Amino acid sequence: MEIIDTHTHLYLEDFQVDIEDVLDRGKAEGVTRFYLPNVDSSSIDDLLKLEEKHPDCVAMMGLHPCSVKENVANELKLVEEWLRKRPFAAVGEIGLDYYWDKTFVAEQKEAFRKQINWAQELNLPIVIHSRDSMQDCIDIVKENQNGTLRGIFHCFGGTVDEAKQIMDLGFLMGIGGVLTYKKSGLAEVLTSIPLEYLVLETDAPYLTPVPFRGKRNEPSYLKYVVNKIAEAMNIPVEEIAAQTTSNAQKLFGS
């Protein structure tokens, strides 16, 4: 069974001690590719070093909305320089986050739009962070959708209506450990979403699925997400794996 982790931060300090073991455990569970979203200037070196050492780890480049602060112009300049310097799988992770701090919402929106424009110019998908900001993210994608914009709403946990808007835009939804949480309500929403619009993700080291909730997340735990999707949608595990892998390969072109 081949599966793809479309969103994992394996370059973070949380994995410095045992990254080889983490990757081996993931591969033993069928995870063949690990897509790495960038956070900001502080994460680029570790991100690229991991990609260089492990060809199945694939880098994205972008500025995370939580890193949009007073120095946003410098951060964006660096992102643009890297995007024009070498190939990346996607522009990400980008978007809006109203959960932690709303001080820089206007700057977040401007940074989001700017990075969307670069993605369109370079014909790259985007990977969207939309915490407590789903409708605003959808609206910004909608205003920029010219038929070429594509990507993933990472860590989808929205409503059926939001899912429909995302599908109407031609975007995919990343499903991870949140699905296994009793109060998430995501299992019910999934019954209204065709499998063609879903990809798998861990967001490791965050959002660890049950039965490991509270511990560090890692790609080998994706099987618990696959099993929960299969249960929620009443579709065989093998079909979930095959279709989500195909969706990811089609989006990222590999």
Side-chain angles (χ1 to χ4, degrees):
M1 188 169 77
E2 179 187 358
I3 53 180
I4 291 175
D5 190 345
T6 63
H7 196 113
T8 182
H9 299 272
L10 294 177
Y11 53 85
L12 293 181
E13 201 174 323
D14 307 65
F15 298 102
Q16 292 290 338
V17 180
D18 63 342
I19 184 61
E20 303 295 334
D21 292 338
V22 168
L23 289 169
D24 286 345
R25 284 194 294 270
K27 290 167 190 173
E29 294 294 345
V31 187
T32 58
R33 250 168 138 66
F34 311 84
Y35 284 91
L36 312 174
N38 187 48
V39 177
D40 55 33
S41 58
S42 70
S43 54
I44 293 174
D45 284 352
D46 290 334
L47 169 78
L48 296 181
K49 279 177 191 167
L50 182 60
E51 182 193 50
E52 188 178 0
K53 192 172 182 186
H54 295 279
D56 41 16
C57 292
V58 189
M60 307 177 196
M61 181 52 60
L63 178 63
H64 193 294
C66 290
S67 294
V68 172
K69 309 286 185 191
E70 293 89 347
N71 65 337
V72 61
N74 291 335
E75 289 284 339
L76 285 172
K77 185 170 181 284
L78 191 57
V79 167
E80 184 179 18
E81 285 172 1
W82 273 107
L83 284 170
R84 298 191 187 284
K85 192 185 295 186
R86 48 146 285 180
F88 287 93
V91 178
E93 77 190 83
I94 64 176
L96 307 172
D97 190 305
Y98 299 166
Y99 178 81
W100 294 109
D101 184 6
K102 289 189 175 178
T103 309
F104 296 97
V105 164
E107 291 84 354
Q108 283 188 31
K109 288 180 177 178
E110 186 182 348
F112 188 24
R113 289 186 173 101
K114 193 167 280 190
Q115 292 178 97
I116 285 174
N117 290 339
W118 294 336
Q120 288 176 308
E121 188 184 333
L122 297 166
N123 192 28
L124 290 173
I126 59 174
V127 172
I128 300 169
H129 175 106
S130 58
R131 191 165 189 188
D132 287 1
S133 59
M134 181 74 80
Q135 192 57 55
D136 279 3
C137 283
I138 289 171
D139 289 344
I140 287 174
V141 170
K142 204 175 285 184
E143 73 185 37
N144 286 277
Q145 181 55 283
N146 61 359
T148 65
L149 196 56
R150 63 200 188 279
I152 300 169
F153 275 78
H154 141 67
C155 190
F156 177 76
T159 64
V160 172
D161 176 64
E162 287 166 341
K164 185 177 184 309
Q165 292 183 71
I166 289 167
M167 291 187 286
D168 286 347
L169 288 165
F171 271 64
L172 307 175
M173 286 158 272
I175 307 297
V178 171
L179 176 64
T180 67
Y181 305 165
K182 279 182 182 173
K183 293 181 180 176
S184 78
L186 188 52
E188 290 75 27
V189 175
L190 280 188
T191 60
S192 302
I193 303 174
L195 195 51
E196 288 76 15
Y197 288 94
L198 301 182
V199 289
L200 306 173
E201 60 170 59
T202 56
D203 201 23
Y206 315 111
L207 301 176
T208 314
V210 174
F212 299 105
R213 192 175 182 183
K215 298 179 180 176
R216 181 191 71 176
N217 199 4
E218 62 174 71
S220 65
Y221 297 162
L222 260 185
K223 64 180 179 182
Y224 297 100
V225 176
V226 174
N227 289 340
K228 191 67 180 176
I229 295 174
E231 179 189 314
M233 301 180 79
N234 197 26
I235 294 173
V237 166
E238 295 76 14
E239 193 177 330
I240 303 290
Q243 185 64 58
T244 55
T245 296
S246 172
N247 296 343
Q249 289 170 335
K250 185 178 173 187
L251 179 71
F252 291 119
S254 61

